Each structure stands twice: as C-alpha cells, then as structure tokens.
C-alpha cells in the first residue's frame, strides 16, 4: 500500500494536476459551465411540453402554453453551438490573460463560426434575388465540437497577433472603446479571411463543409466512446483516486466530458418530448447519481456520522458537514475528516460510486426507472429535487435508495474511525485527570 501511494504521489498526481490546470481544458470547462442557465431553461421547457398525461396536454394546448414550451427550446438548446462558441471564446480570452480582448474576441469567434455554417439560398417566385438561410441544424448540438475548435483557434490567433503588436494603436486620449475597435481591425481581417479560406477548402472535399467533417470524424466517434459503461467506470475511478490524493478529481476529468455531455442534451430532450427513451444514458445526470453528497457518494457518510457518532470529535464535526453534504458539498469531509490519504475510508470512497453506477445501469436496462435526461443542473441541487429535474420521480426514489445504500456501505468504516476517536478522547481525559491530581 505504501509503495502504491508513493507511486501515485510521485508519478500520477503531478500529471493529473497539470491536466487540471491546462488552459485549454479550463477554457472548455468554464465555457461549458457558463451555459448552464441556457441549458436549464431550454431543457425544463422541453420537459414541461412533453409530460405524457392526457388532461395536462389538453390544458397546455388549449391555453397556448404548448406553443411556448416548444418555442423556447428552439432558441436555447437547439442553438447550443452558437452559445458554446460565445462561452468558450469569452472565457478563453480571460484564461489566456487577455481579458481586455474578451468582447471583440467573442465577436470574431461568432463570425468565424457562422462563416463555416452552410447557407441555403431559396429563390421565391417573382423575387429579385434569392433569400439566403442559415442551416440551423449546424447551430445546435451538431455544431458543438466545431464551436469549441473555432473558439480556441480564434482566441489563440487573436491573442498572438496582439502580443506581436500587429495592430493599429491609437494615440492617448482616444476613448477606450474606439481604441479597442482599431486594435481588433487587423486581427479581424486575418481571422475572417482565414476561416473563409477554410470554408472554401472544405467545399472542394467529399465532406463539403467543415461542420460535417468535424461531426463525422471527431464528434460522433467521441460520443460513441463516451457513451459506454467501461468509459464511465474509468471516469469515476480516476476522479475518486485523484480526490483521495488531494487533487480536485472533477476539475481534472470532467472538462473532457462536458462538451460531449452538452451534445447529448438536445437529442435526449427531443427524445423525451416525442415519448421515446433517452438515447444517451451515460450523461451528466447519471454522473450526478454517483456523486450524491459529493465525490465518493458521501451523503450516506455524513448522515451516519450525524446520527451514530459516539465521539465528541465526530459529533461536532457532523454538525458542520451534514448541511454541506445535503447540498453536495463535501470538501469539508474530504479535507477535514479527512478522507484524503485515509486508508480506512479508501475502499468505500472508491467503490460506493461504482456500486451505485452498476445498480443504476441495471435499473435503467430493466426499465425500473428511466435514464436521466442529462441536464447540467447546479451541483448544489439536493437529492430528490435533482431526480425530478432529470425527468422522473422514479429517479428521486432511486436517490433516496442511494442515500440509504451509501450509509450502509460507509457505516462499518466510519465506526472504526469513531471508535479510534473515542479511545483517544478517553486516553486524553485520563491524562488530564492525572495532571489535575498532581497539581
């Protein structure tokens, strides 16, 4: 065990820490998370419009709410590619130490992204010239990976040009916004000409568009790879091992999956709206089921500690961590108890999320409960409520089961720590009494 921990601390943890601090991954992560409000609103409206209960459907149709519920997703989740390029390019400029360029960088990223989106001219009878329409299919989940690539490329090119002073600098005294507009002029020419050339280049290939190239060569294979049980097991185990060694496992692993999971949301909500099963079950919602109370599914641990602790140490500590655990915040437990580098709790900390995953997998496959929609709800959403927001009361019931299961798994390991604390407190009391007698 000591050799294993030494190897992990010297070889594995530094690599994971570098990955977590990588500016490109941080840009993708921050950009993805900044879209939470858009994703939540669109998905909730989609869910409200798809509740398969006759009287409810009759009510929302007769009142006109059905039209509203169907319209909102079209300008939120169905345009996810556009919002993604905005979120990533804006955050990337700040992460690459050019916050002053963030606004213009975002504008150029949007323009570059739209240049690559296919256009469809339609000539109406009697019209002087055809109307040109943007193919909105490429603005939604199908365009997410292109949006990520464009946002990062534009940011790097823009920042590099500015750092080399290939810009028009205005004299002092010119208003700041005017000065920034002229600074963006040369980068805008270079970037937009470059992406126009890319568009022309792809039009000469069998893919026809950059969107189709990225979608077929990168996005579909990555979605297939991520949508598997082995991949999910590796993700959870890797995150847990990193947490055990004091590295924020979520920050190190989830940025790789956020763009893929966001790509699932549109298709999952569309499937639910049409009364079908969720096509991508390995999503953010399923990951949340394995992290109730925080990493390691520690919600059961804090409840067990609160009700069954005998030592004064853990009685007092449970009053602090119990409220946090109910809202999925468990850094106080990981670093304060601690679970980090604690050999006693390593086994339940590692296996509890995996056990929950397997039970959830079989429950979904046996149609005991539906797969979660995969909404990227706030991580602080408490159990039961999070299940409802993921699309079903059955998921809420499952979360109650997970709380109970987590408590059962952690109980014997916690009692080891609690008994050790009781023994230490008893020994300390004996020493204090002896010192008092001597005095």
């Amino acid at each position: 065990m000591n050799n294993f921990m030494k190897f992990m601390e010297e070889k594995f943890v530094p690599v994971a820490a570098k990955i977590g601090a990588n500016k490109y991954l941080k840009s993708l992560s921050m950009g993805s998370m900044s879209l939470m409000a858009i994703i939540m609103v669109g998905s909730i409206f989609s869910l409200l419009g798809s509740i398969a209960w006759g009287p409810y459907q009759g009510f929302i149709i007769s009142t006109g709410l059905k039209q509203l519920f169907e319209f909102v997703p079209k300008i939120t989740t169905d345009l996810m590619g556009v919002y993604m390029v905005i979120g990533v390019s804006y955050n990337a400029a700040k992460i690459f130490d050019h916050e002053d360029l963030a606004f213009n960088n975002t504008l150029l990223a949007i323009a570059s992204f739209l240049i690559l989106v296919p256009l469809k001219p339609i000539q109406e009878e009697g019209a002087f010239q055809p109307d040109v329409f943007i193919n909105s299919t490429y603005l939604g989940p199908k365009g997410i990976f292109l949006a990520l690539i464009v946002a990062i490329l534009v940011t790097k090119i823009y920042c590099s040009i500015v750092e080399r002073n290939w810009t028009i600098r205005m004299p002092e005294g010119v208003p700041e916004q005017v000065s920034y507009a002229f600074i963006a002029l040369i980068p805008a020419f270079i970037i937009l000409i470059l992406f126009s050339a890319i568009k022309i280049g792809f039009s000469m290939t069998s893919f026809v568009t950059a969107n189709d190239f990225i979608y077929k060569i990168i996005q579909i294979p990555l979605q297939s790879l991520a949508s598997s049980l082995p991949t999910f097991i590796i993700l959870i185990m890797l995150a847990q091992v990193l947490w055990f060694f004091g590295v924020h496992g979520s920050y190190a692993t989830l940025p790789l999956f956020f763009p893929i999971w966001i790509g699932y949301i549109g298709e999952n909500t569309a499937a639910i709206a049409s009364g079908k099963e969720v096509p991508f079950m390995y999503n953010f919602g399923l990951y949340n089921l394995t992290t109730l109370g925080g990493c390691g599914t520690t919600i059961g641990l804090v409840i067990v500690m609160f009700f069954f602790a005998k030592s004064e140490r853990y009685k007092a500590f449970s009053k602090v961590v119990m409220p946090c655990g109910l809202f999925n915040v468990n850094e106080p437990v990981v670093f304060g108890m601690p679970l980090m580098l604690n050999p006693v709790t390593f086994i339940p900390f590692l296996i509890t999320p995996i056990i929950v995953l397997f039970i959830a997998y079989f429950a979904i496959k046996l149609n005991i409960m539906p797969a979660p929609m995969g909404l990227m709800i706030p991580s602080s959403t408490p159990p039961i409520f999070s299940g409802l927001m993921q699309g079903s009361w059955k998921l809420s019931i499952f979360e109650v089961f997970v709380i109970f299961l987590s408590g059962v798994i952690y109980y014997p390991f916690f009692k080891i720590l609690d008994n050790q604390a009781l023994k230490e407190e008893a020994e300390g009391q004996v020493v204090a009494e002896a010192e008092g007698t001597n005095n």
Side-chain angles (χ1 to χ4, degrees), residues 50-271:
S50 63
I51 297 174
W53 183 42
Y56 174 78
Q57 286 293 324
F59 171 74
I60 62 175
I61 291 173
S62 62
T63 57
L65 289 173
K66 179 75 171 180
Q67 186 176 2
L68 172 65
F69 292 158
E70 291 179 344
F71 171 73
V72 173
K74 293 185 185 300
I75 50 112
T76 52
T77 52
D78 288 357
L79 297 179
M80 195 52 60
V82 177
Y83 298 124
M84 183 64 78
V85 78
I86 293 172
V88 174
S89 59
Y90 184 81
N91 282 281
K94 294 195 290 185
I95 289 170
F96 283 97
D97 303 318
H98 284 285
E99 186 172 356
D100 56 323
L101 306 178
F103 179 76
N104 285 329
N105 182 65
T106 303
L107 292 180
L108 289 176
I110 296 171
S112 302
F113 177 71
L114 293 177
I115 283 174
L116 299 178
V117 175
L119 301 177
K120 185 178 181 180
I122 297 178
Q123 180 74 50
E124 294 186 3
E125 186 176 350
F128 178 72
Q129 60 183 10
D131 294 321
V132 180
F133 295 87
I134 292 178
N135 191 335
S136 61
T137 303
Y138 296 94
L139 302 180
K142 192 174 181 179
I144 281 179
F145 273 76
L146 180 66
L148 297 175
I149 294 170
V150 169
I152 294 297
L153 278 178
V154 169
T155 301
K156 286 301 295 180
I157 294 171
Y158 191 9
C159 292
S160 296
I161 292 173
V162 172
E163 288 168 0
R164 288 173 172 76
N165 288 320
W166 298 352
T167 58
I168 299 174
R169 297 284 180 176
M170 301 300 291
E172 294 184 7
V174 174
E176 188 177 71
Q177 290 304 317
V178 175
S179 179
Y180 283 142
F182 275 92
I183 289 174
L185 199 56
I186 292 177
F189 270 107
I190 295 174
I191 290 169
L192 297 184
I193 289 172
L194 172 62
F195 279 91
S196 297
I198 292 173
K199 181 184 182 74
I200 294 171
F202 273 104
S203 68
M204 300 177 182
T205 69
S206 59
F207 293 100
V208 183
T209 68
N211 304 71
D212 286 316
F213 172 78
I214 298 298
Y215 185 70
K216 293 175 182 177
I217 301 300
I218 298 178
Q219 186 163 340
I220 290 179
L222 282 178
Q223 286 183 340
S224 299
L225 177 64
S227 188
S228 68
L229 184 59
T231 302
F232 224 77
I233 293 172
I234 293 171
L235 165 65
I236 293 173
M237 292 187 68
L238 181 60
Q240 292 307 118
V241 170
L242 290 173
W243 274 111
F244 179 76
F245 284 96
V247 177
H248 201 298
S250 300
Y251 286 167
T253 57
L254 294 189
L256 301 172
F257 287 83
F258 276 149
I260 299 173
W261 287 342
I262 289 175
Y264 292 162
I265 292 173
E267 295 184 51
N268 283 354
T269 53

